[in-house]
Amino acid sequence: AFDDETSAFDLRAELAKLQSEYLLEMEDIVVATRNAEGKVRLHQAVDLTLAGAASGSFWGLLVGILFLNPLVGVAVGAGSGALAGALSDTGIKDAFIKEVGETLKPGTSAVFVLVRKMTGDKVLARVGSYAGKGRVLQTSLSEEQEARLRAVIEQGGAAAAPSA
C-alpha cells in the first residue's frame, strides 16, 4: 500500500516491465485506490468487459454470416460477450480487493499481485526503488520470503533473494 494514488500505478508499470523481460510471471495485477470521498475503485490490468465484447463480436459475426445476417450476429455477440466479461472474475477475487481497499485511508492506493513464477533476486532489486515508500499489507509468502519483501519495500534494506 502507498500513501498516494500514483505510486501503485508506477509499481504496476514496473512489474509489467519485469514480466516483459521474463523475470516475473503474473496471473493478475490490480490497483485499488480510495479517493478523498472514501470510495474504493479497482483498476484492472485487463478490461474483461471489453475483451468479452470483442470476442463476442467476432463469434457473432461468424454465426451471423452463416444465417445471412452478420450485423445482428455482431450485435448479439458483442452484447453477450460484454455481459460474460463483466460477470467474470479471474485471478484475485474483486470482493477480497474491495474488502482490503476499504481499510485504506482516503487518497491512498494498493497493488494486488498474483504471481505464478519469478526470479526473486532480480525482482526485489528492481522494486527496491520503492524502498520506504510503501508497506506490505498481506501476503501468502512464507515467513522468510515475506520478511525479505518487507525489508525491501518498507525499510529499504537489501534483501537476499527469496527461494520462489
Side-chain angles (χ1 to χ4, degrees):
F2 296 95
D3 291 333
D4 60 37
E5 291 190 27
T6 58
S7 294
F9 291 103
D10 294 342
L11 179 58
R12 180 173 76 176
E14 183 64 32
L15 293 173
K17 284 182 200 173
L18 288 166
Q19 182 162 283
S20 70
E21 295 170 14
Y22 304 103
L23 297 173
L24 177 67
E25 187 178 328
M26 296 182 289
E27 187 167 322
D28 195 11
I29 184 165
V30 179
V31 171
T33 57
R34 189 162 190 195
N35 64 20
E37 293 80 40
K39 184 174 186 219
V40 176
R41 184 151 181 243
L42 306 185
H43 306 271
Q44 304 279 351
V46 177
D47 184 351
L48 294 175
T49 303
L50 184 60
S55 174
S57 295
F58 172 75
W59 290 108
L61 176 64
L62 288 179
V63 171
I65 288 172
L66 291 173
F67 293 103
L68 302 174
N69 200 342
L71 292 178
V72 171
V74 169
V76 170
S80 62
L83 179 62
L87 297 175
S88 298
D89 188 7
T90 61
I92 305 168
K93 298 297 178 198
D94 290 350
F96 169 74
I97 298 171
K98 286 181 181 179
E99 179 183 313
V100 174
E102 291 292 333
T103 68
L104 297 173
K105 294 178 184 173
T108 63
S109 61
V111 180
F112 296 80
V113 185
L114 182 57
V115 176
R116 284 189 207 145
K117 293 187 255 180
M118 72 174 180
T119 306
D121 56 341
K122 293 182 179 181
V123 171
L124 284 178
R126 290 278 288 275
V127 299
S129 62
Y130 295 89
K133 295 181 182 177
R135 64 193 179 286
V136 177
L137 298 177
Q138 182 175 343
T139 75
S140 59
L141 298 171
S142 70
E143 287 184 21
E144 179 185 343
Q145 292 170 330
E146 183 174 333
R148 290 177 179 158
L149 179 63
R150 284 184 188 280
V152 170
I153 297 294
E154 295 176 0
Q155 290 94 30
S163 54

